[in-house]
Amino acid sequence: MNRLPQFHIVARMRSDFPTKFGIPRQSGLVEQLQSTVVFEPPYRDPAALRGLEGFSYIWLLWVFSEAAREGWSPTVRPPRLGGNTRVGVFASRSPFRPNPIGLSLVRLEAVAQRPGLGTVLEVSGADLMDGTPILDIKPYVPYADSRPDALGGFAQTAPEPRLAVDCPPALLEPVPLDRREALLGVLAQDPRPAYQRQPERVYGLDFAGFRVRFTVAGDTLTVQEVAKIPE
């Protein structure tokens, strides 16, 4: 029996999410999110990226490093079904899998040089936490990867933003301009776990160095506070 090869972490994601809470449940749901793929030192050879600039999207294969657990369950409860209906783990994209591997399609904005980091990939629309280990990167090839007639099971269409966001402009003033639209997009997707729907509860989302506190009543999310997280 052949031995499986050892897998290596080739890069890590730098994103505005220091924790899992609030990360969109799929890539591409909030296209304004900006992230950077930073390669580990052994893989910072720019030759490894030669030709990648000719592709507009890339696949990221990565590890659910914060969701790894002992054992596994053959069924899971997808948030898309309200967190109450069980489906087979292999019919879902749940992080709780026999092997905690994630797959994300992101837009490649630029292949750039950064001091001290070498060649990096600037991407948008990612659903990865800051520091997420990336195992591999592959170009998205339209003729092979796009199947417009494919069935999508219980996730045939992209979810619409779930909530209207009520946020006084003054609360957003500390947030950099290039992060505000992404933050509002994340909030509109309803960051709460599918099983938590208490209207009196105050939730806290950490994003781009800020802690955002909010409540949800009905279909409206109201931002209560935006404060810089102490370093």
Side-chain angles (χ1 to χ4, degrees):
M1 183 176 180
N2 294 331
R3 294 180 60 188
L4 290 175
Q6 180 180 359
F7 291 95
H8 303 280
I9 298 171
V10 302
R12 292 184 183 273
M13 179 61 83
R14 289 196 176 178
S15 79
D16 288 324
F17 294 101
T19 68
K20 295 183 296 181
F21 184 76
I23 296 177
R25 294 182 175 93
Q26 297 292 337
S27 59
L29 290 181
V30 183
E31 296 180 353
Q32 300 86 355
L33 286 171
Q34 303 171 34
S35 307
T36 304
V37 176
V38 178
F39 289 89
E40 294 290 279
Y43 305 100
R44 289 184 182 175
D45 187 340
L49 300 172
R50 187 180 301 156
L52 191 62
E53 69 281 354
F55 297 87
S56 57
Y57 287 86
I58 56 176
W59 292 106
L60 303 179
L61 284 82
W62 47 280
V63 179
F64 286 103
S65 54
E66 297 300 309
R69 58 172 63 174
E70 293 293 330
W72 68 286
S73 171
T75 62
V76 295
R77 296 181 294 179
R80 187 67 179 271
L81 296 177
N84 296 314
T85 302
R86 285 192 172 273
V87 302
V89 65
F90 298 128
S92 80
R93 296 196 176 188
S94 167
F96 305 114
R97 322 184 66 79
N99 293 304
I101 297 174
L103 175 69
S104 295
L105 181 65
V106 299
R107 184 173 182 86
L108 178 61
E109 302 290 353
V111 180
Q113 292 291 324
R114 294 288 181 266
L117 299 177
T119 306
V120 303
L121 304 180
E122 303 289 353
V123 302
S124 59
D127 55 343
L128 280 69
M129 193 178 78
D130 188 57
T132 295
I134 297 173
L135 299 177
D136 202 3
I137 297 164
K138 299 179 186 291
Y140 173 85
V141 181
Y143 81 86
D145 294 344
S146 177
R147 291 291 185 266
D149 61 338
L151 295 178
F154 59 83
Q156 181 67 32
T157 59
E160 296 292 331
R162 303 181 182 188
L163 301 174
V165 179
D166 179 9
C167 180
L171 291 182
L172 282 180
E173 288 183 359
V175 181
L177 282 172
D178 63 349
R179 294 296 193 267
R180 293 178 189 178
E181 190 173 358
L183 172 59
L184 294 176
V186 168
L187 294 172
Q189 288 292 331
D190 193 350
R192 299 173 299 167
Y195 54 84
Q196 289 185 4
R197 292 292 185 268
Q198 303 99 320
E200 72 282 357
R201 179 167 180 169
V202 178
Y203 296 87
L205 166 68
D206 292 348
F207 179 82
F210 294 86
R211 180 155 296 150
V212 182
R213 300 189 185 279
F214 64 90
T215 57
V216 180
D219 294 329
T220 300
L221 180 150
T222 302
V223 177
Q224 305 289 346
E225 180 186 28
V226 179
K228 184 73 175 176
I229 299 174
E231 297 183 359

